[in-house]
Amino acid sequence: MTLGLFREDLQMQKDGAPIKAGDSTFYVKRSGTKEYYEKRRSITQKLFGLYLQPKQEDEIKINAYVLAEYLVTGWDDVFTEDGDAVDYSIQAAKEIFLDEEYQLSLNAILINSSWDFGNYLKLKMDEDLQELKKK
């Protein structure tokens, strides 16, 4: 096994990796970084106060804000149900990710993808790509 199979692209972690959801592409930063935990802590404190410990069921709301305000950096091919294109902005992201009708589907896809290291890999050599294809 070559270590290149596990080397992540640090720029993609910061700028966002392309994540497909249906016909749309969302650009999603990497979860688990120092910056991620700092932003998550800030959002949690803003929502629940400095000393209040959020409950398990609050995770859905926290994740919605983390997606809207931090993780998602842009998107392509996102349309309303009427077929109108939705341009990326933090406000548009809030309208989508804070909508409870998306929180257990679209939000879950994007949150789970942000934890998957495979979305952020930096393939250095053709051998690495060939080994990935074998798996």
Side-chain angles (χ1 to χ4, degrees):
M1 173 193 76
T2 174
L3 288 175
L5 290 172
F6 300 99
R7 183 182 305 272
E8 292 190 40
D9 185 322
L10 299 180
Q11 196 61 47
M12 199 179 319
Q13 286 181 357
K14 292 178 185 175
D15 295 340
I19 305 298
K20 295 293 281 181
D23 294 331
S24 302
T25 302
F26 294 84
Y27 299 92
V28 182
K29 291 183 180 183
R30 179 77 156 95
S31 288
T33 65
K34 180 181 179 192
E35 185 181 34
Y36 164 83
Y37 284 114
E38 288 170 353
K39 186 63 175 178
R40 184 177 177 80
R41 184 172 28 263
S42 170
I43 288 170
T44 302
Q45 288 174 355
K46 180 177 72 174
L47 293 174
F48 300 103
L50 187 58
Y51 301 106
L52 186 62
Q53 189 74 313
K55 298 177 217 141
Q56 188 70 29
E57 57 268 26
D58 295 328
E59 288 299 313
I60 292 171
K61 184 175 184 179
I62 293 168
N63 283 339
Y65 276 94
V66 170
L67 280 168
E69 295 182 10
Y70 175 71
L71 283 176
V72 174
T73 62
W75 58 55
D76 295 321
D77 301 320
V78 173
F79 300 94
T80 65
E81 292 176 17
D82 297 328
D84 299 324
V86 179
D87 293 328
Y88 172 78
S89 69
I90 291 177
Q91 184 57 41
K94 283 183 178 181
E95 290 173 17
I96 293 169
F97 301 127
L98 297 178
D99 185 331
E100 291 181 8
E101 293 180 334
Y102 299 112
Q103 290 180 355
L104 295 178
S105 55
L106 177 60
N107 289 17
I109 289 168
L110 298 177
I111 288 290
N112 291 338
S113 295
S114 75
W115 285 99
D116 183 352
F117 77 91
N119 292 318
Y120 303 90
L121 289 177
K122 179 178 190 173
L123 298 175
K124 291 290 236 177
M125 303 170 63
D126 288 337
E127 293 91 349
D128 294 341
L129 183 57
Q130 294 306 320
E131 189 156 329
L132 275 177
K133 288 180 181 178
K134 292 178 192 174
K135 299 195 183 270

